[in-house]
Amino acid sequence: VLSNIDLKIPAHTVTSIIGPSGSGKTTLLRLIALLERPTAGSIVFDGVDTHASEKVRLEMRRRMVIVFQKPIVFNGTVYDNIVYGLRIRGKDKRLITTLALDALDAVDLSGYGKRNARSLSGGEVQRVALARAMVTEPALLMLDEPTANLDPVSGTRLERLITRVTRESDTTVIMTT
């Protein structure tokens, strides 16, 4: 799908990859996210070649998050969905609560913590996925067509939210559209 790609993305920037359906945008994100291995060439993340040992790859992977076009929410509360990554990283319960409440506020979902995540609209699910991604404070956030399945109002709202969240963090963002 991809050939002769030479791409350098500076840290702390927002980069958009634009192309038609089937052009390899998602494949590129999956490669960068270390979900797939390239058949040729190399990917370097923060100065380290991703062909490194599995231990190094896992350490890299923990510093990046990808939110797919159709994000999945777990069958549970919005709060549980947002804190999942923090729990598996063994974070302190008080810190988890603080970060989760801040994340809910950041994505304009204050008061949604106890709602079942599967009962949300498409735009709300996208915001939960973004909050779940951002709460882990990734060095790299990848968003695969984040507004593709949203109505125009929800899409615009999500774009503004992404802009605001990225301005307030040191996260590098790669977004496809």
Side-chain angles (χ1 to χ4, degrees):
V1 173
L2 302 170
S3 63
N4 299 321
I5 303 292
D6 186 7
L7 177 65
K8 292 179 183 162
I9 299 175
H12 316 296
T13 62
V14 178
T15 302
S16 293
I17 299 171
I18 303 167
S21 294
S23 63
K25 299 179 305 292
T26 300
T27 300
L28 180 60
L29 285 187
R30 291 182 61 81
L31 287 163
I32 294 169
L34 307 180
L35 298 176
E36 296 183 24
R37 290 185 184 262
T39 55
S42 63
I43 298 171
V44 177
F45 176 69
D46 203 17
V48 179
D49 190 321
T50 61
H51 284 308
S53 70
E54 285 305 312
K55 180 181 177 185
V56 172
R57 285 176 59 84
L58 181 59
E59 289 170 10
M60 285 183 210
R61 183 71 190 100
R62 286 184 176 145
R63 296 181 54 219
M64 54 180 80
V65 178
I66 186 168
V67 177
F68 289 103
Q69 182 175 345
K70 294 180 183 176
I72 296 170
V73 289
F74 309 121
N75 189 21
T77 66
V78 168
Y79 178 89
D80 288 337
N81 271 267
I82 290 173
V83 302
Y84 178 77
L86 297 172
R87 285 185 177 151
I88 64 171
R89 286 170 173 83
K91 298 292 183 183
D92 175 74
K93 286 183 180 184
R94 239 187 303 218
L95 176 63
I96 288 174
T97 300
T98 300
L99 291 173
L101 293 175
D102 289 347
L104 282 166
D105 187 47
V107 297
D108 297 326
L109 290 176
S110 294
Y112 280 61
K114 292 183 180 179
R115 289 183 62 180
N116 185 302
R118 291 201 173 158
S119 70
L120 303 177
S121 71
E124 291 166 341
V125 167
Q126 281 286 14
R127 289 187 281 155
V128 168
L130 182 60
R132 182 174 54 205
M134 291 303 298
V135 77
T136 62
E137 300 176 334
L140 175 60
L141 172 64
M142 291 163 278
L143 303 168
D144 188 22
E145 301 198 36
T147 61
N149 296 310
L150 303 179
D151 62 82
V153 172
S154 296
T156 300
R157 186 176 186 184
L158 186 64
E159 287 170 352
R160 286 185 190 134
L161 175 64
I162 291 166
T163 301
R164 189 179 82 228
V165 167
T166 55
R167 280 187 186 147
E168 296 170 0
S169 73
D170 288 332
T171 302
T172 302
V173 178
I174 304 171
M175 182 169 38
T176 66
T177 188

